[in-house]
């Protein structure tokens, strides 16, 4: 807990320093957003379209210079047909995979394991179960699965990690709905609470979520084609 508190404090100090470097107009908008909307924006910047982008917990919204109008939605560049809002959200959601606590994850190696995925899944999530079936069709991958108690599934996560073979218990449940044994009375595992803290830190609000080695992520039960396309783009 002390380590998490320290990291949070350092993050706040860094963000405060960064906010102080905002241009005067952006700093003014940031203050108005707090005054009028009671929102603490982590970042504000002016866009070429005349609106100001306001970042709140990795989410992006837009306001005018006097914060009289609030816009929730996506901005598209007509010339390039690009969703600028989604690009920004993708940028904000990136992580450094080397910082992930892999000891809290289940590890599955298929083929030579040269390609790496980091997945966050809840045992009660039907979309997570669909993704798990898709992942079985991939080859030459190493998959780190962070089993998260997102859907009131703390007890099931504990049963999986208290099983003699947690990896097998996970796949038996997700692929065949074979329940793991009841948690032994002498088993104490901190993994559910640690993974709950981790998804809060990463800003993960839904499952499943996949991270790649470049720090980018895919949300939802991504198709095999989408995963393969992303893996191929990273390799390039």
């Amino acid at each position: 807990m002390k380590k998490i508190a320290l990291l949070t404090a350092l993050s706040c100090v860094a963000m405060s320093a960064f906010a102080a470097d905002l241009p005067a107009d952006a700093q003014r908008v940031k203050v108005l957003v707090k005054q009028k909307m009671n929102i603490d924006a982590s970042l504000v910047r002016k866009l070429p379209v005349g609106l100001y982008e306001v970042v709140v917990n990795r989410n992006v919204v837009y306001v005018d210079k006097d914060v009289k109008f609030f816009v929730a939605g996506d901005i598209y560049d007509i010339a390039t047909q690009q969703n600028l809002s989604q690009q920004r959200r993708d940028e904000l959601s990136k992580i450094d995979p080397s910082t992930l606590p892999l000891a809290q994850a289940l590890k599955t190696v298929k083929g030579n394991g040269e390609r790496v995925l980091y997945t966050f899944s809840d045992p009660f999530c039907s979309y997570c179960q669909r993704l798990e079936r898709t992942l079985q069709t991939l080859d030459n991958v190493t998959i780190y699965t962070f089993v998260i108690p997102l859907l009131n599934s703390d007890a099931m996560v504990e049963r999986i990690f208290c099983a003699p073979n947690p990896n097998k218990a996970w796949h038996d449940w997700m692929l065949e709905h074979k329940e793991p044994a009841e948690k032994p009375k002498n088993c104490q595992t901190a993994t559910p609470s640690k993974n709950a803290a981790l998804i809060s830190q990463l800003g993960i609000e839904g499952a499943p979520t996949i991270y790649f080695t470049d720090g980018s992520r895919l949300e939802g039960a991504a198709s095999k084609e989408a995963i393969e396309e992303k893996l191929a783009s990273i390799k390039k």
Side-chain angles (χ1 to χ4, degrees):
M1 292 298 292
K2 289 182 179 179
K3 183 177 181 181
I4 294 174
L6 176 60
L7 289 174
T8 302
L10 290 174
S11 175
C12 291
V13 170
M15 189 61 72
S16 297
F18 185 78
D21 294 333
L22 288 175
D25 61 330
Q27 184 64 38
R28 173 178 172 275
V29 170
K30 185 176 187 294
V31 171
L32 287 174
V33 166
K34 175 61 177 177
Q35 290 176 348
K36 295 187 175 185
M37 303 174 66
N38 195 28
I39 291 177
D40 290 308
S42 58
L43 183 62
V44 174
R45 65 175 185 173
K46 187 176 183 180
L47 300 179
V49 296
L51 295 174
Y52 284 81
E53 175 193 272
V54 178
V55 177
V56 184
N57 296 330
R58 297 185 177 88
N59 294 315
V60 180
V61 296
Y62 307 97
V63 296
D64 67 299
K65 66 181 180 65
D66 295 318
V67 193
K68 292 182 178 179
F69 300 96
F70 167 86
V71 180
D74 289 354
I75 294 178
Y76 288 82
D77 185 323
I78 295 176
T80 63
Q81 297 294 301
Q82 292 181 318
N83 185 333
L84 302 182
S85 301
Q86 187 58 53
Q87 287 181 356
R88 184 64 168 142
R89 286 192 292 268
D90 290 343
E91 178 185 331
L92 292 167
S93 68
K94 278 196 170 185
I95 66 167
D96 179 0
S98 67
T99 65
L100 291 174
L102 300 185
Q104 294 168 210
L106 303 176
K107 181 179 179 180
T108 302
V109 180
K110 297 172 67 65
N112 59 31
E114 65 179 353
R115 306 182 298 173
V116 182
L117 298 174
Y118 309 89
T119 68
F120 289 76
S121 293
D122 184 287
F124 291 164
C125 164
S126 60
Y127 292 103
C128 300
Q129 293 167 6
R130 184 189 304 176
L131 175 64
E132 198 64 42
R133 289 191 290 271
T134 298
L135 295 177
Q136 299 307 302
T137 67
L138 300 179
D139 198 11
N140 299 330
V141 292
T142 297
I143 303 169
Y144 291 97
T145 302
F146 291 86
V147 183
I148 55 176
L150 195 64
L151 302 176
N152 196 28
S153 54
D154 300 66
M156 178 59 81
V157 177
E158 288 187 344
R159 288 168 64 183
I160 289 169
F161 278 94
C162 284
N165 185 336
N167 213 316
K168 183 177 185 304
W170 168 253
H171 288 111
D172 282 350
W173 168 249
M174 296 298 282
L175 301 175
E176 302 178 32
H177 291 286
K178 292 182 179 178
E179 289 200 25
E182 292 296 327
K183 172 188 171 183
K185 293 182 179 180
N186 62 349
C187 178
Q188 298 295 327
T189 174
T191 301
S193 59
K194 287 182 177 180
N195 283 351
L198 180 60
I199 61 174
S200 176
Q201 176 188 337
L202 296 176
I204 295 176
E205 298 177 346
T209 295
I210 305 173
Y211 282 99
F212 298 86
T213 54
D214 67 347
S216 63
R217 76 182 185 186
L218 274 180
E219 297 179 342
S223 66
K224 178 181 180 180
E225 292 73 22
I227 297 172
E228 289 284 7
E229 181 180 355
K230 182 60 183 178
L231 289 169
S233 70
I234 295 173
K235 194 171 183 180
K236 293 177 183 179

